[in-house]
Amino acid sequence: MPEATFYTHVSDPVKFSIRLVQRALNADSRVLVWAADGEALAQLDHDFWALSPESFLPHQVWEHSEPYPHEVALVLSAGRLPEKLEQSVTVLNLSPAFWCDAPELPARVLEIVSDNLDDLAEARNRFRAYHQQGFTITHHNMSGKA
């Protein structure tokens, strides 16, 4: 059964997403970070390159016209949801996309939600959609923590 984990009330989503990716990679997961669009993808790529040398996370930007880059553990992408995705990949969704609507469901989706009221309302819709698709859902309220 696929899983969706929601981290809500995150005060700095960019810093939190980097820490979350580091934790997932340390747990031997392969991670696909999904951005809202090309501009957000370019900013994410920049943010990952701007990390200090000891915190650097090797990654690759994936263009859908190319095969999925299996040789790297961290992949960044955006656009329409891919037709095929390996079950071993954890998706960090930083977009408004509903991964429960993907042609092939990932085993795990991570959702980061700021404390913005519009973001929280959208997260409720995604929460409901994941639940209706049979995802096991976990919620972590990060108020005052992140």
Side-chain angles (χ1 to χ4, degrees):
M1 178 175 285
E3 299 176 39
T5 304
F6 284 79
Y7 299 89
T8 60
H9 303 282
V10 174
S11 59
D12 188 339
V14 173
K15 283 184 182 177
F16 187 79
S17 65
I18 291 170
R19 288 196 321 260
L20 191 58
V21 166
Q22 287 170 325
R23 274 199 342 235
L25 293 172
N26 287 340
D28 292 328
S29 290
R30 294 178 52 218
V31 179
L32 170 61
V33 180
W34 199 259
D37 53 33
E39 185 177 320
L41 178 62
Q43 183 61 53
L44 271 172
D45 188 35
H46 175 269
D47 292 341
F48 279 106
W49 277 105
L51 294 172
S52 62
E54 61 274 359
S55 299
F56 178 70
L57 297 171
H59 64 278
Q60 182 173 338
V61 173
W62 174 40
E63 299 294 332
H64 296 252
S65 58
E66 301 294 322
Y68 189 87
H70 298 284
E71 63 279 357
V72 294
L74 175 58
V75 175
L76 312 178
S77 195
R80 67 179 169 77
L81 298 180
E83 293 294 318
K84 185 158 178 59
L85 185 66
E86 287 185 19
Q87 284 289 313
S88 63
V89 175
T90 296
V91 175
L92 172 55
N93 186 24
L94 300 178
S95 79
F98 284 65
W99 272 85
C100 57
D101 294 337
E104 189 167 324
L105 298 178
R108 185 159 190 225
V109 179
L110 307 173
E111 296 273 351
I112 298 175
V113 184
S114 75
D115 48 10
N116 175 289
L117 293 178
D118 291 335
D119 291 346
L120 289 165
E122 180 60 31
R124 282 186 203 95
N125 291 334
R126 284 198 309 276
F127 185 98
R128 207 171 8 262
Y130 285 114
H131 186 277
Q132 290 172 348
Q133 288 289 70
F135 278 67
T136 300
I137 299 176
T138 307
H139 172 242
H140 301 282
N141 184 338
M142 305 307 292
S143 285
K145 299 176 190 172

